[in-house]
Amino acid sequence: MSIFSYLFKRRKNKHRGKTTDEELFLNEDIPNHYSSLLDKNLKSLENVFHQTSDLQKMKIHIGGQNGCICYLNTTLNKNDLNAQILEPLKDAFKDVETNLDIEKIRKAYFPAVAYEYADSLHQIVWQMLNGSAVIMINNSKKALALNIGGTEKRSIVEPSTQTIIRGPKDSFIEDIDVNIGLVRKRIKNPRLVFEEYIVGKDSHTRLSIGYMKGVVNEDILSEARQRIKKIKTSAVLDTGNIEEMITDTSFTCFPLIFNTERPDSISGHILEGKIAVFLDGTPFALSMPSVFTDFFQSTEDYYQPFFLTSFIRILRFMAFMITLILPSLYVGIITYHQELIPNALLINIQAQRESVPFPAVVELLLMEFTFEVLREAGTRMPRAVGQTLSIVGALVIGQAAVEAGLVSNVLVIVVAFSAIASFVSPIFNFSVAARLIRFLLIIAAAIMGFYGILLSLILMVIHLVSLRTFGVPYLTPVAPFKLIDQKDIFVRFPIWTNTTRPSYLKSKAPLKVKNHSKPVTPDKKEENNQNE
């Protein structure tokens, strides 16, 4: 048995099958009896919430019956509570009608408020956890849950991780309903479908998947549903948790699922036939399946002229290769292949390295590690000082290291240029993959020179070819090569030529538009009409 099989083997839990009273009580498949006695229900709620400080109970009297409004004051807006519930109930205390049931109360006092009836204690608890206020009346067989709106939300602002020059400036926030609304705003189509799930045994977090009915591949959709339903964990706090649980394999540094906080990016992916995943409490949404080339593309590419976009696309691929192999090329040339450097440059480099006490590989790893520490420190520091620390720290440490004779000037240029090239990628977690593989290539170059670099790149390509994302080859449409999809991979053809969806998705509607021709000027249009 390999070490990986031993470490990650699923072992039988001796406590599995044993369920506590709280878990059994909150299980959606097991209904809980709702008593017609108000005091009994209130006591049950206190036991369920364990006398938490934010549980509020307000006694009321309607139609000759005692009642109570129960809610968690940390999950709803108190101003809305006063305006939509407490104000209308002021007149209820004067109501002397004795035949008022819960339905008549709703029609009389809350006709415009979103509501649901709850006939089990579990439903009441669930509604309160979701920000509703629950009205219970003595001798009533069900309760009234009023959804008056949640707590304060963060305003919609410009994306912080994926900046844009030309295009929409809005981004997702931590509220799932707002995020779905931002997508609905862009895709006004009844075929846009959202399915809701609850994930996390303890957190009970809302999750939604969105897709275009009649466009999405039903096999991929079915696979996505099955993987989401199989999620078994105590809590889900971010889409990163979902990504790790539904991805085809975790033993790779390349991201297999696309993540973004931009609504226009998710909307574009849904229109192509992909599936989007939204999670309550996080501003990042997922898109799947995602292939290797998706991480070199940005929605801004479709807002700029196609000549400029094509140039930037090629630049991104070149920057990825520079980040990946430039440091290892330096080690290989300095250690084994000095004959590749012109004599004048070689003499200059060796003169600079004359006072350096370390081999090239040690020198490079020292600077790479220092730069990674500075980059991480700049990311975690407060914004006011983070940028200053990254720039000034790199300049000061680099200059001091050169003057102290620890590294050469050429090495500082190599490390700085490869680090800057890593920022060209529009998706952050994809650039991280290049940074990690770079260290492996440096070690391979120190051992075998260019042969080590070439062997490592071959192994990396073999690994990429073996990857799958929801059954789709990760390197498609490059390997396997699909000619029809090349109009929007390394270069972007004009938008009016993009009439088909990606063939690797096997969409039910592969054709976007019919009879889409090149735009013509009014003079030529008149001339064509006359000729016809």
Side-chain angles (χ1 to χ4, degrees):
M1 182 184 291
S2 67
I3 184 65
F4 288 108
S5 301
Y6 175 77
L7 291 175
F8 295 97
K9 180 181 178 182
R10 294 183 181 270
R11 295 177 174 82
K12 186 175 180 181
N13 188 346
K14 63 181 180 180
H15 299 292
R16 186 171 294 171
K18 298 180 180 180
T19 308
T20 64
D21 293 339
E22 289 81 3
E23 291 171 338
L24 185 65
F25 190 79
L26 292 177
N27 191 326
E28 290 183 320
D29 299 328
I30 303 176
N32 296 280
H33 178 65
Y34 176 71
S35 174
S36 58
L37 299 177
L38 178 62
D39 292 338
K40 186 176 180 180
N41 293 328
L42 291 178
K43 186 176 180 180
S44 298
L45 278 181
E46 290 175 355
N47 292 333
V48 170
F49 286 106
H50 301 285
Q51 299 289 343
T52 179
S53 60
D54 57 345
L55 175 62
Q56 302 295 319
K57 303 182 293 293
M58 299 179 61
K59 300 283 184 169
I60 59 175
H61 189 78
I62 303 179
Q65 294 289 343
N66 293 324
C68 186
I69 304 175
C70 299
Y71 60 92
L72 299 172
N73 61 10
T74 52
T75 62
L76 48 74
N77 190 305
K78 295 177 183 177
N79 293 331
D80 292 337
L81 175 70
N82 292 327
Q84 299 185 43
I85 296 182
L86 300 184
E87 285 292 333
L89 281 178
K90 283 183 178 179
D91 298 330
F93 289 93
K94 305 173 185 178
D95 202 328
V96 294
E97 185 180 345
T98 57
N99 294 326
L100 278 179
D101 59 10
I102 199 70
E103 294 183 6
K104 291 181 179 179
I105 290 172
R106 187 203 66 79
K107 293 177 182 178
Y109 301 104
F110 315 107
V113 182
Y115 71 95
E116 282 189 27
Y117 292 114
D119 56 4
S120 70
L121 207 55
H122 171 263
Q123 292 178 5
I124 292 175
V125 172
W126 183 247
Q127 291 292 339
M128 291 174 63
L129 289 172
N130 280 289
S132 294
V134 177
I135 298 179
M136 295 184 289
I137 304 296
N138 197 30
N139 296 326
S140 177
K141 294 181 179 180
K142 56 185 176 182
L144 174 63
L146 299 173
N147 185 3
I148 59 173
T151 55
E152 295 293 333
K153 303 180 182 70
R154 182 169 65 93
S155 59
I156 298 174
V157 295
E158 189 173 346
S160 58
T161 59
Q162 298 171 0
T163 55
I164 187 170
I165 298 173
R166 180 179 179 179
K169 300 291 184 180
D170 56 348
S171 67
F172 290 134
I173 63 172
E174 287 75 14
D175 189 276
I176 189 172
D177 294 323
V178 174
N179 295 342
I180 292 175
L182 290 173
V183 176
R184 282 278 186 198
K185 183 179 179 181
R186 287 168 168 81
I187 307 176
K188 298 179 176 66
N189 194 317
R191 292 189 299 166
L192 177 60
V193 179
F194 293 94
E195 298 179 6
E196 186 165 311
Y197 300 85
I198 302 298
V199 291
K201 181 176 66 70
D202 295 328
S203 63
H204 290 85
T205 310
R206 290 173 59 199
L207 179 147
S208 287
I209 61 173
Y211 57 90
M212 286 290 289
K213 191 71 175 178
V215 175
V216 69
N217 185 318
E218 291 294 339
D219 293 333
I220 297 177
L221 178 60
S222 177
E223 180 66 23
R225 286 170 177 159
Q226 290 179 13
R227 295 188 188 186
I228 290 174
K229 289 177 182 177
K230 289 180 180 178
I231 293 176
K232 303 295 181 184
T233 183
S234 61
V236 177
L237 303 178
D238 187 80
T239 48
N241 305 141
I242 300 294
E243 181 179 353
E244 194 168 345
M245 292 177 183
I246 66 175
T247 189
D248 288 57
T249 177
S250 299
F251 292 97
T252 179
C253 57
F254 291 96
L256 300 180
I257 297 179
F258 188 91
N259 74 86
T260 180
E261 59 176 339
R262 290 178 55 177
D264 57 336
S265 181
I266 287 293
S267 300
H269 286 194
I270 290 176
L271 290 171
E272 284 185 346
K274 297 184 179 182
I275 303 167
V277 177
F278 304 89
L279 187 73
D280 198 23
T282 176
F284 286 90
L286 304 179
S287 172
M288 52 196 185
S290 298
V291 295
F292 182 80
T293 54
D294 285 342
F295 297 93
F296 292 90
Q297 300 173 3
S298 170
T299 48
E300 191 177 358
D301 295 349
Y302 304 95
Y303 309 146
Q304 302 280 7
F306 66 93
F307 280 117
L308 176 61
T309 297
S310 300
F311 170 73
I312 293 175
R313 287 261 182 97
I314 295 172
L315 189 67
R316 287 173 187 155
F317 282 99
M318 292 176 62
F320 173 74
M321 295 306 299
I322 289 172
T323 303
L324 201 62
I325 66 174
L326 181 61
S328 56
L329 284 177
Y330 172 81
V331 172
I333 290 175
I334 293 298
T335 307
Y336 296 101
H337 310 285
Q338 296 92 341
E339 67 277 4
L340 296 177
I341 309 176
N343 292 334
L345 180 59
L346 179 61
I347 293 172
N348 192 10
I349 292 174
Q350 292 299 340
Q352 293 177 16
R353 298 196 70 256
E354 188 176 357
S355 59
V356 177
F358 306 113
V361 60
V362 176
E363 179 188 14
L364 182 59
L365 289 175
L366 179 65
M367 283 303 297
E368 286 283 0
F369 179 75
T370 304
F371 193 87
E372 291 295 332
V373 170
L374 286 172
R375 175 158 31 191
E376 187 65 17
T379 303
R380 305 303 170 193
M381 290 287 287
R383 288 188 179 181
V385 296
Q387 251 183 353
T388 305
L389 174 69
S390 300
I391 298 172
V392 176
L395 290 174
V396 171
I397 292 179
Q399 183 65 28
V402 171
E403 292 180 356
L406 298 177
V407 297
S408 62
N409 290 321
V410 176
L411 178 69
V412 174
I413 295 173
V414 169
V415 172
F417 186 53
S418 61
I420 292 171
S422 68
F423 291 111
V424 175
S425 174
I427 307 300
F428 172 76
N429 59 339
F430 187 80
S431 64
V432 173
R435 286 160 53 188
L436 293 175
I437 297 175
R438 183 171 60 192
F439 286 97
L440 298 178
L441 290 176
I442 290 172
I443 296 172
I447 297 174
M448 293 183 290
F450 281 5
Y451 300 104
I453 298 174
L454 184 60
L455 180 61
S456 300
L457 290 176
I458 291 173
L459 292 175
M460 185 189 76
V461 172
I462 292 173
H463 172 68
L464 289 172
V465 170
S466 68
L467 292 177
R468 296 291 184 272
T469 168
F470 287 83
V472 177
Y474 191 54
L475 283 187
T476 189
V478 178
F481 184 79
K482 296 183 181 295
L483 182 62
I484 193 174
D485 294 329
Q486 302 305 313
K487 294 185 291 185
D488 193 22
I489 301 299
F490 299 103
V491 296
R492 182 178 78 78
F493 281 34
I495 288 180
W496 48 267
T497 64
N498 188 11
T499 59
T500 58
R501 293 184 170 89
S503 62
Y504 59 83
L505 293 176
K506 297 180 180 178
S507 171
K508 293 176 69 176
L511 194 63
K512 289 183 180 179
V513 291
K514 296 180 180 178
N515 303 324
H516 196 340
S517 59
K518 178 182 177 181
V520 295
T521 61
D523 294 340
K524 289 186 178 180
K525 191 174 182 180
E526 250 180 60
E527 194 177 313
N528 292 337
N529 291 337
Q530 288 176 0
N531 292 335
E532 290 177 0

